[in-house]
Amino acid sequence: MILEAVKYVNEILQLQSIAALVPGQPNWMLAEHNTKPPFVNFMIKNEGRASKDMIGQYSVNIVVTGLSLTNSAQLADGIEQAIEASDYNRLRFRGNEIQYNDTEAKEASCIITYEFKF
Amino acid sequence: MSGNLRIVLDGKTIFHATESSLSLSREVRERSTKDTDGIQRAKGIKSFEASASALGVYGADNASTLDFEGLFDIYDDDVMYENVPIQFIPDENETNVAYEGLAIITSLEGNFANEEDATVSISLSGSETLKKISIP
């Protein structure tokens, strides 16, 4: 069922409110080589079954890459708020972490972590 | 029995159950007189208890499966459900036996924590004894 979970997250990340912040399609795992920020990648992990009716436990890392540390944090905050305000209410926020991608570049990424059952 | 045991109330499975428990017990009567050699024990009456935990976040149809709303209706309806029919099915796909009886919901709890999936817990007390039946 992981493919269905991927579709679910992809659908969320294409919300109009998120597309307004980060134009372009969200990328499952990897963006095209040399993609210019801002862009969004996501990684999903199935962590096993969560009930006797075969619902799965998933975690997803949404990696928001921005032009700078501040920019990626602003975009991540916007995405978090957009998801909170949407009808996609399965995602449980588990925090975020911000980091530079390169020691010599200003580009940075904010990783937002969610858990959900699907 | 395996971890797949399901509790079925009034023909409806508790939806997204995460844990099911069945407890059978029997009272023991004791007798000790000047003519007995130690304590004599005899079988007393049998009883059973059951409990289950489930996710409470995703709605069931309440026709073949039960969510919190369906469980509440059974708990709340004293006319239709003086005793609710209960079945314990070891494995829905493979078993040819089940255990059935009548029970009363003695507690129904919901836990609704921030940024967590809601969970439901139910406890049942058996009325009369549990019977083993064959499933065709």
Side-chain angles (χ1 to χ4, degrees):
Chain A
M1 299 296 185
I2 194 161
L3 193 56
E4 293 303 313
V6 167
K7 287 178 185 171
Y8 179 71
V9 172
N10 199 56
E11 201 175 291
I12 294 170
L13 293 173
Q14 292 187 70
L15 282 168
Q16 207 168 3
S17 49
I18 293 177
L21 295 167
V22 188
Q25 296 284 311
N27 307 289
W28 181 17
M29 295 298 288
L30 292 173
E32 292 286 332
H33 186 53
N34 283 335
T35 301
K36 299 293 179 199
F39 59 88
V40 172
N41 295 353
F42 64 94
M43 297 89 173
I44 284 188
K45 185 179 176 187
N46 183 332
E47 297 179 332
R49 303 240 184 272
S51 88
K52 297 185 183 203
D53 287 299
M54 310 292 272
I55 199 168
Q57 176 71 49
Y58 293 88
S59 67
V60 57
N61 285 335
I62 298 170
V63 184
V64 191
T65 302
L67 294 165
S68 66
L69 211 60
T70 304
N71 179 234
S72 63
Q74 285 169 336
L75 295 172
D77 283 348
I79 289 173
E80 188 190 327
Q81 285 164 6
I83 292 172
E84 187 69 34
S86 75
D87 294 331
Y88 294 91
N89 53 11
R90 293 189 177 208
L91 270 58
R92 307 287 174 236
F93 182 65
R94 292 291 180 259
N96 56 28
E97 182 182 353
I98 193 159
Q99 61 189 31
Y100 278 115
N101 295 341
D102 193 296
T103 50
E104 295 179 10
K106 287 177 69 181
E107 290 174 12
S109 293
C110 189
I111 305 168
I112 318 169
T113 304
Y114 287 96
E115 288 180 352
F116 66 103
K117 293 181 176 65
F118 195 85
Chain B
M1 288 198 201
S2 70
N4 289 331
L5 181 132
R6 301 303 300 261
I7 294 181
V8 180
L9 296 177
D10 195 22
K12 302 162 195 168
T13 309
I14 298 176
F15 196 46
H16 281 313
T18 54
E19 179 268 334
S20 305
S21 165
L22 165 63
S23 171
L24 301 168
S25 60
R26 183 197 288 275
E27 286 184 6
V28 174
R29 288 184 282 115
E30 293 183 352
R31 180 171 59 191
S32 178
T33 71
K34 292 179 181 179
D35 294 312
T36 57
D37 182 12
I39 297 173
Q40 284 185 344
R41 292 192 169 91
K43 287 181 175 178
I45 53 174
K46 292 182 276 189
S47 64
F48 71 94
E49 308 276 332
S51 67
S53 300
L55 298 174
V57 278
Y58 308 120
D61 57 13
N62 289 316
S64 60
T65 53
L66 290 166
D67 57 15
F68 184 84
E69 186 184 343
L71 291 170
F72 176 82
D73 289 342
I74 293 174
Y75 160 81
D76 191 48
D77 192 336
D78 294 337
V79 177
M80 189 171 172
Y81 297 110
E82 187 176 348
N83 289 305
V84 61
I86 185 170
Q87 272 194 338
F88 300 88
I89 301 179
D91 188 307
E92 286 178 300
N93 299 320
E94 295 175 10
T95 191
N96 52 11
V97 296
Y99 302 86
E100 70 175 22
L102 296 168
I104 293 168
I105 296 176
T106 53
S107 85
L108 177 61
E109 295 176 39
N111 190 306
F112 311 97
N114 184 41
E115 285 295 345
E116 295 293 341
D117 294 325
T119 56
V120 175
S121 302
I122 184 171
S123 299
L124 298 116
S125 194
S127 175
E128 301 182 344
T129 58
L130 200 61
K131 302 280 192 298
K132 182 174 164 183
I133 59 160
S134 294
I135 297 177

